[in-house]
Amino acid sequence: AQSVTQLGSHVSVSEGALVLLRCNYSSSVPPYLFWYVQYPNQGLQLLLKYTTGATLVKGINGFEAEFKKSETSFHLTKPSAHMSDAAEYFCAVYTGNQFYFGTGTSLTVIP
Amino acid sequence: NAGVTQTPKFRILKIGQSMTLQCAQDMNHNYMYWYRQDPGMGLKLIYYSVGAGITDKGEVPNGYNVSRSTTEDFPLRLELAAPSQTSVYFCASTLLPAGGAGQPQHFGDGTRLSIL
């Protein structure tokens, strides 16, 4: 079975500071990788995805993630946090007709 | 564009009652999924379907049933509600054309279910 590990269930950053949310996966073959964001009382929305090609992927709202095969990682970053970035973030892996989700990281942005 | 629509948004059930959570998508997606989300646990796959008439179990199927009679609809049935089924339920769909993959899931806004 696949596993997706998100280090840090809660992350706090100051407004304007770097955001770094960590994601590692276990897979014997390169999977498809996704980051989703969830705002309160809403479903998950796609931030970005990696399928093939360039390992640095840019998404919406200034977020980007880098696929590192040797480290089996897909960390999410944003250079400057905004108050509106406060939400729950989920890393997901797609393989074998199924998606596997991490347990989520709650991002708090401090003014 | 409606996308993925879930009804109801909230529901309170008594132990032993049954109910059906509705999910409909208007994007002609082949694949549909049901997840439950519990605090600190992420999303757990309950059932999924790769097309009309085809369903399969996910990670946590016990206590649930599904059907897929049309491409658009994928209802989730709780037959004998138990307190352990208190959760937020999300339906999602994906377009996976033959030979392609990496399509993201589209999620509904969820059904918040409490069983007392």
Side-chain angles (χ1 to χ4, degrees), chain B residues 4-51:
Chain B
V4 178
T5 303
Q6 291 185 239
T7 56
K9 293 188 183 304
F10 305 93
R11 185 73 183 270
I12 297 175
L13 283 181
K14 294 183 179 179
I15 295 171
Q17 287 186 319
S18 62
M19 78 163 293
T20 299
L21 283 65
Q22 300 292 343
C23 175
Q25 53 90 11
D26 62 358
M27 298 173 283
N28 202 31
H29 284 177
N30 296 320
Y31 285 64
M32 296 186 74
Y33 308 79
W34 273 107
Y35 294 92
R36 59 177 289 171
Q37 183 183 31
D38 300 301
M41 300 296 290
L43 277 74
K44 299 293 185 184
L45 182 65
I46 304 172
Y47 271 96
Y48 68 100
S49 170
V50 302

Side-chain angles (χ1 to χ4, degrees), chain A residues 32 34 36 38-46 49 51 88 90 94 96-104, chain B residues 31 33 35 37 40-43 45 48 50 57-58 90 94 96 101-105 107-110 112:
Chain A
Y32 297 107
F34 303 81
Y36 287 87
Q38 184 182 31
Y39 299 102
N41 299 318
Q42 294 185 23
L44 280 68
Q45 302 172 32
L46 181 69
K49 67 176 183 179
T51 54
E88 187 92 14
F90 291 92
Y94 176 85
N97 286 340
Q98 291 192 22
F99 283 84
Y100 299 88
F101 287 83
T103 53
Chain B
Y31 285 64
Y33 308 79
Y35 294 92
Q37 183 183 31
M41 300 296 290
L43 277 74
L45 182 65
Y48 68 100
V50 302
K57 296 178 180 179
F90 287 100
T94 311
L96 290 177
Q103 297 292 326
Q105 291 184 309
F107 284 83
D109 285 340
R112 285 148 185 83

Side-chain angles (χ1 to χ4, degrees), chain A residues 30-92:
Chain A
Y32 297 107
L33 300 161
F34 303 81
W35 275 100
Y36 287 87
V37 60
Q38 184 182 31
Y39 299 102
N41 299 318
Q42 294 185 23
L44 280 68
Q45 302 172 32
L46 181 69
L47 270 179
L48 50 79
K49 67 176 183 179
Y50 170 80
T51 54
T52 59
T55 56
L56 182 62
V57 180
K58 295 186 183 299
I60 62 171
N61 301 336
F63 284 93
E64 61 183 34
E66 186 171 11
F67 168 57
K68 292 187 176 180
K69 183 179 178 181
S70 61
E71 299 177 6
T72 60
S73 69
F74 191 56
H75 302 329
L76 181 71
T77 61
K78 182 174 181 178
S80 177
H82 192 273
M83 295 299 294
S84 61
D85 295 327
E88 187 92 14
Y89 292 80
F90 291 92
C91 181

Side-chain angles (χ1 to χ4, degrees), chain A residues 12-17 81-84 86 108-111:
Chain A
S12 294
V13 299
S14 297
E15 189 174 16
H82 192 273
M83 295 299 294
S84 61
T108 299
V109 181
I110 303 167

